[in-house]
């Protein structure tokens, strides 16, 4: 079954009794498919080797999911992360199925409530959001991407950062524009931090609370994008 087939109240009641991943998580699937489709429009997709593309999409998918979720939630004036049908994620995981799991509750509070605060404070506009998203697409970590790939991604990231800086300084002046630029770049790094926690959260739910169900409801090609730290040992997953 899919989450869209329910009225909001029926959906909440169902997942409270049966668990979040008793249904196919269409919103998460759609987000990941959209990220892959957008990646195909980015210059790196046609300039990097296939292995670099795989590493890059794996690295940036969860941070981009975080950006999409927080952007949507901020636009809806919500102080917590909500789904497109208006259900707070913390509510979806608060039912009897999870029996008040303390580790789950800590992760929920951190990822879907506390981590919203910087996004609410900064309040990106549409143009800033598009450029921040482009910077994340071009962001790389040294582990996995080839030297040539890193060089190309760095040039792409610098290009988008330059566009962002010029836009902000034209709007606000040199000093205030630079300050705003620093705030927005901090959000980029924060997206990666939040994305890592989101992956830990999904691993915890999959390995501890709903063992194996995640793989049954997610399309196989998208699983590794979500469970990218699937080899993390349980103490690392639960150590918040």
């Amino acid at each position: 079954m899919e989450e869209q087939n329910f009225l909001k109240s029926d959906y909440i009641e169902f997942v409270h009794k049966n668990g979040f991943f008793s249904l196919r998580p269409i919103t998460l699937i759609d987000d990941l498919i959209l990220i892959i489709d957008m990646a195909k429009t980015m210059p790196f997709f046609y300039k990097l080797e296939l292995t670099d593309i795989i590493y890059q999409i794996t690295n940036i998918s969860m941070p981009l999911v975080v950006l999409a979720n927080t952007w949507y939630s901020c636009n809806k004036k919500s102080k917590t992360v909500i789904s497109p049908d208006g259900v707070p994620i913390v509510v979806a995981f608060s039912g009897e199925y999870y029996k008040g799991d303390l580790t789950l509750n800590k992760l929920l509070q951190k990822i879907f409530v506390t981590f919203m605060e910087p996004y609410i404070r900064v309040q990106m506009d549409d143009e800033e959001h598009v450029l921040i998203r482009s910077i994340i697409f071009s962001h790389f970590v040294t582990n996995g991407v080839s030297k040539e790939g890193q060089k190309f991604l760095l040039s792409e990231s610098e290009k988008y950062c330059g566009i962002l800086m010029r836009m902000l300084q034209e709007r606000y002046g040199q000093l205030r524009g630079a300050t705003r630029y620093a705030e927005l770049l901090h959000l980029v790094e924060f997206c990666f931090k939040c994305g890592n926690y989101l992956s830990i959260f999904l691993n915890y739910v999959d390995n501890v609370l709903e063992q194996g169900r995640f793989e049954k409801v997610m399309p196989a090609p998208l699983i590794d994008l979500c469970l990218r730290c699937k080899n993390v040992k349980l103490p690392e997953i639960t150590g918040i």
Side-chain angles (χ1 to χ4, degrees):
M1 288 189 288
E2 299 181 352
E3 59 190 41
Q4 287 97 324
N5 293 337
F6 289 80
L7 296 173
K8 184 190 295 187
S9 59
D10 294 337
Y11 168 73
I12 294 173
E13 181 180 357
F14 186 89
V15 297
H16 279 183
K17 290 182 178 179
N18 300 282
F20 187 83
F21 291 112
S22 58
L23 301 173
R24 185 179 290 269
I26 295 300
T27 299
L28 177 58
I29 292 170
D30 286 348
D31 282 345
L32 290 169
I33 291 173
L34 182 59
I35 286 166
I36 294 170
D37 285 343
M38 284 191 291
K40 295 176 183 178
T41 71
M42 302 297 290
F44 79 80
F45 196 85
Y46 300 98
K47 297 291 181 67
L48 299 181
E49 297 293 330
L50 178 59
T51 53
D52 283 347
I53 293 172
I54 293 171
Y55 273 116
Q56 184 64 3
I57 292 178
T58 302
N59 288 333
I60 64 178
S61 289
M62 287 295 99
L64 287 168
V65 167
V66 168
L67 182 66
N69 290 341
T70 53
W71 170 249
Y72 176 82
S73 301
C74 283
N75 284 341
K76 294 298 182 181
K77 309 300 181 185
S78 175
K79 293 184 178 180
T80 68
V81 176
I82 58 175
S83 64
D85 56 6
V87 177
I89 302 301
V90 291
V91 171
F93 282 92
S94 64
E96 61 194 75
Y97 183 86
Y98 299 105
K99 300 177 181 178
D101 184 276
L102 294 179
T103 298
L104 176 68
N105 289 339
K106 288 180 181 179
L107 285 168
L108 287 168
Q109 182 67 29
K110 181 182 288 287
I111 299 167
F112 301 110
V113 181
T114 304
F115 281 173
M116 272 290 292
E117 293 172 3
Y119 301 94
I120 294 171
R121 183 173 62 252
V122 172
Q123 289 293 320
M124 287 182 290
D125 64 24
D126 291 348
E127 291 175 310
E128 291 170 341
H129 172 250
V130 169
L131 284 168
I132 289 300
R133 187 176 64 196
S134 298
I135 291 169
I136 292 175
F137 266 110
S138 303
H139 194 284
F140 70 90
V141 293
T142 55
N143 182 25
V145 178
S146 68
K147 293 293 184 182
E148 285 301 311
Q150 291 176 30
K151 183 178 179 180
F152 179 76
L153 288 170
L154 178 60
S155 68
E156 286 296 294
S157 180
E158 289 176 342
K159 177 180 71 176
Y160 294 120
C161 286
I163 294 171
L164 178 62
M165 174 66 93
R166 288 192 296 274
M167 181 187 77
L168 294 173
Q169 289 187 326
E170 287 175 4
R171 284 183 181 177
Y172 304 115
Q174 293 290 316
L175 182 57
R176 191 174 166 210
T179 301
R180 178 67 174 173
Y181 175 80
E183 288 179 337
L184 291 170
L185 282 196
H186 175 71
L187 277 190
V188 172
E189 298 305 319
F190 199 65
C191 282
F192 279 86
K193 177 181 178 180
C194 298
N196 185 55
Y197 267 97
L198 179 57
S199 187
I200 290 172
F201 169 78
L202 292 172
N203 273 275
Y204 182 73
V205 173
D206 179 56
N207 290 309
V208 179
L209 301 177
E210 299 197 35
Q211 297 180 9
R213 295 173 80 186
F214 185 75
E215 285 90 342
K216 293 179 181 178
V217 295
M218 285 293 288
L222 302 181
I223 292 173
D224 284 344
L225 298 183
C226 299
L227 306 184
R228 53 186 178 153
C229 57
K230 64 194 303 183
N231 294 319
V232 172
K233 295 179 181 178
L234 188 58
E236 296 179 62
I237 293 177
T238 57
I240 301 174

